[in-house]
Amino acid sequence: MNHGMRVDGYNFEFSGISGAVTALRATVDATQWRETCRRAAFDGGRLVALWGSDGSDAGAGFVVHVALVIGVGLIVITLPLADERYPDISDIFPAAGRMQRAVRDLFGLVAEGAADERPWLRHAAWPADIFPLRKDFSNHQSPVTSQSGAADDYPFVQVAGDGVHEIAVGPVHAGTIEPGHFRFSVVGERILRLEERLGYKHKGIEKRFEQMDFMEGAQLAGRISGDSTVAYAWAYAMAVESAAGLTPPPRAAWLRAILLERERIANHLGDLGFLGNDAGLAFGLTQFSSLKEDMLRLNYELFGHRYLMDVVIPGGVARDLSADGLARMQRECDAPERTVARLKGIYDEHPGLQDRFITCGRVTPELAARLGLTGLAGRASGQAWDLRVEYPCVPYGELDVRMATHRNGDVAARVTVRFEEVSESLRLIREMLARMPSGDLALPVPAAAAGAFGVGWIEGWRGEVLIALEAAGGSSIRRLHPHDPSWQNWPVLEHAVLGNIVPDFPLINKSFNLSYSGQDL
């Protein structure tokens, strides 16, 4: 770092995000930690992520970090800890609550004054004195022991009253979906309260990154959340390139954007089909599933993988798009555009669907802003935020992206945002194919200095994905934190279902389509 700036009285260092905006970093004390967060919230800023680190291997102690968005862009605040406690910020940013609970489970660091101190990731087989992300925890050790013998007595909040009873759903579900537990308090079928318990998919990914070099980590990054492989792989590549001081070739950046938009379209098509099916229109599922399958098959033919894994790498991309492939992709954009437009007309005019969609699972713009709802669900509740527009990386700054936003905040609005984003992504792909620059696909990634910091920040189909990376020197990773937008959005789902009936929960849940594994790392 050779330059910086002053924001709100604090000295920030620049940390370039490769091909995008600049992150600002500052080290603060405990008072400044809360004051900076308070100022950011007062000025309309948002919480992006909160995570911890153990510096004992470098002769330091524990630290906590928070990434915030303010007017100048992304800022990362670091608080070194004298002991294992730091000030709570969940009263300022409610979404921080679960993140702080995860930091406590993984590091043993306590957010002082937090209203909710229950464990988040710890289940019965995870001993209380084990903290997997501390440096003294062996990479080959498991936090789960068969000898713990503890009962899983997680203290769910009880709702009392005449006629109130509980319905427990999960964590194991009937379909091929990931595990999560949902505890409903209901009167009849009307939902009074929903409480979630996740953490069943914890895989030790953050610890695994500490054993990897930059190129090995690229494979793991693309598998953090299987439906967002491009978003995570690009954010990871961005973080590596930022730490190493590398800007990828223009052609690679444009190809990355094409892949990201294809990922966005495929996921929206799948969700639109399942949303129709959940509301009783199986025709919608068959039509959208066919469109999605055609897109996945072309992904495989052109890039070697249906879900585009291992294509985005640090320094660029691993596969090119031939002239024939470019022409095939151009032609492919036409058929789904016509079909999706026709299907939108059917969905909009189908009385059964609209009866299920309209007013169902509503999140008002005011509640969305207060709770930090982000991504497509946020845009459906009046939160005009899309990194492709607000802080565009190459090539989005040249593409005039049209953000889809609505204010109703119900299932119908989230469906409409998906339809509009499919159309916009098809338009963007056409434009990128027509303007694709020539040149190299990738550049060698230089060594990074020990302690070098990099951030990647990408608007995935679900919302903004962030990866924060600290290098150990050379091409080794010392610490890596991936953050999924589902961290912000799962708590909002608990509010969205209130007053609705239990049979509408699958529909509301699918309209958000949040990731279990993306936040259980």
Side-chain angles (χ1 to χ4, degrees):
M1 310 284 181
N2 55 13
H3 59 298
M5 68 178 294
R6 199 163 173 81
V7 179
D8 285 339
Y10 306 132
N11 292 316
F12 285 82
E13 295 178 313
F14 286 116
S15 177
I17 302 180
S18 171
V21 298
T22 297
L24 298 171
R25 296 182 66 207
T27 299
V28 299
D29 61 26
T31 300
Q32 293 169 329
W33 168 265
R34 272 192 60 85
E35 180 62 16
T36 305
C37 291
R38 188 195 63 77
R39 290 186 191 181
F42 181 80
D43 292 337
R46 299 186 305 106
L47 170 73
V48 178
L50 184 151
W51 68 100
S53 295
D54 179 1
S56 59
D57 61 327
F62 295 109
V63 297
V64 286
H65 314 268
V66 64
L68 305 169
V69 179
I70 61 173
V72 297
L74 185 72
I75 64 172
V76 177
I77 308 297
T78 297
L79 171 62
L81 305 185
D83 51 19
E84 297 177 0
R85 310 184 77 82
Y86 63 98
D88 165 52
I89 61 167
S90 62
D91 59 325
I92 302 170
F93 295 111
R98 290 183 180 178
M99 302 176 205
Q100 292 177 164
R101 291 162 67 187
V103 168
R104 182 169 186 163
D105 289 345
L106 296 171
F107 290 95
L109 309 178
V110 178
E112 267 189 313
D116 191 348
E117 294 186 343
R118 293 174 296 172
W120 182 243
L121 296 172
R122 290 178 181 273
H123 293 261
W126 190 333
D129 59 347
I130 293 293
F131 302 107
L133 285 186
R134 290 190 174 188
K135 292 298 183 181
D136 60 5
F137 183 87
S138 169
N139 288 334
H140 304 292
Q141 184 180 353
S142 170
V144 177
T145 64
S146 58
Q147 292 81 27
S148 68
D152 192 356
D153 56 351
Y154 185 80
F156 286 97
V157 174
Q158 302 294 311
V159 178
D162 292 340
V164 177
H165 66 282
E166 288 187 341
I167 301 174
V169 178
V172 178
H173 301 279
T176 53
I177 63 174
E178 295 171 327
H181 183 84
F182 302 94
R183 185 72 60 94
F184 297 89
S185 298
V186 301
V187 172
E189 289 193 325
R190 191 71 55 185
I191 301 171
L192 299 179
R193 179 183 175 86
L194 166 63
E195 188 169 2
E196 304 155 354
R197 190 176 187 202
L198 307 178
Y200 298 91
K201 287 294 293 182
H202 190 79
K203 301 174 288 294
I205 284 179
E206 289 186 82
K207 192 69 172 180
R208 183 71 181 93
F209 271 113
E210 296 176 7
Q211 307 167 50
M212 294 183 161
D213 63 29
F214 290 160
M215 300 311 292
E216 290 172 333
Q219 288 190 304
L220 183 57
R223 289 160 175 79
I224 288 172
S225 185
D227 60 13
S228 300
T229 185
V230 178
Y232 272 100
W234 192 352
Y236 173 82
M238 230 184 227
V240 170
E241 291 155 6
S242 175
L246 173 68
T247 299
R251 184 174 180 86
W254 286 68
L255 284 169
R256 288 175 176 181
I258 287 174
L259 299 176
L260 186 70
E261 296 309 315
R262 291 185 67 82
E263 181 170 85
R264 191 183 318 277
I265 293 169
N267 280 290
H268 285 340
L269 292 176
D271 280 355
L272 288 168
F274 279 111
L275 283 161
N277 190 65
D278 285 354
L281 186 66
F283 165 82
L285 178 61
T286 58
Q287 295 298 311
F288 280 109
S289 296
S290 176
L291 291 172
K292 179 178 179 179
E293 178 63 21
D294 288 344
M295 176 161 279
L296 296 182
R297 290 183 180 186
L298 188 61
N299 283 348
Y300 179 78
E301 292 175 24
L302 297 183
F303 299 103
H305 198 288
R306 288 166 59 87
Y307 294 97
L308 303 171
M309 290 185 178
D310 304 325
V311 181
V312 177
I313 59 173
V317 293
R319 285 179 174 265
D320 200 359
L321 187 62
S322 67
D324 177 66
L326 188 150
R328 291 182 65 186
M329 196 181 292
Q330 283 275 23
R331 291 193 300 270
E332 187 207 37
C333 289
D334 297 333
E337 186 171 55
R338 291 191 298 268
T339 305
V340 169
R342 292 178 62 190
L343 288 169
K344 184 178 187 304
I346 293 171
Y347 272 44
D348 288 347
E349 299 300 324
H350 193 286
L353 285 189
Q354 294 306 305
D355 182 61
R356 294 291 305 279
F357 288 174
I358 294 175
T359 73
C360 182
R362 185 160 189 254
V363 179
T364 65
E366 295 75 19
L367 182 62
R370 170 65 183 142
L371 298 183
L373 186 63
T374 190
L376 73 93
R379 290 190 287 277
S381 290
Q383 307 308 297
W385 177 265
D386 186 325
L387 281 177
R388 298 174 300 166
V389 176
E390 302 298 328
Y391 296 102
C393 62
V394 177
Y396 287 109
E398 303 179 37
L399 297 175
D400 190 24
V401 179
R402 302 163 190 165
M403 190 191 314
T405 60
H406 291 271
R407 293 189 58 82
N408 288 343
D410 53 7
V411 172
R414 293 186 282 275
V415 167
T416 299
V417 166
R418 281 181 169 82
F419 272 116
E420 293 182 0
E421 290 195 354
V422 167
S423 297
E424 177 63 1
S425 291
L426 289 169
R427 184 190 73 81
L428 292 173
I429 289 174
R430 282 199 190 93
E431 185 172 348
M432 286 187 282
L433 291 172
R435 298 172 55 187
M436 176 69 64
S438 59
D440 295 332
L441 293 180
L443 297 175
V445 179
F453 181 80
V455 177
W457 198 26
I458 287 292
E459 186 71 37
W461 73 270
R462 186 178 278 117
E464 56 191 330
V465 168
L466 179 133
I467 286 186
L469 177 147
E470 184 180 339
S475 63
S476 298
I477 299 170
R478 184 180 175 278
R479 173 79 174 100
L480 185 140
H481 176 70
H483 183 87
D484 193 271
S486 300
W487 276 104
Q488 274 86 339
N489 292 358
W490 272 118
V492 184
L493 180 63
E494 295 181 341
H495 293 264
V497 302
L498 299 182
N500 292 268
I501 60 175
V502 174
D504 278 340
F505 173 71
L507 185 64
I508 299 168
N509 190 22
K510 175 55 68 175
S511 74
F512 282 81
N513 194 3
L514 305 177
S515 172
Y516 296 82
S517 67
Q519 67 151 27
D520 291 339
L521 303 178

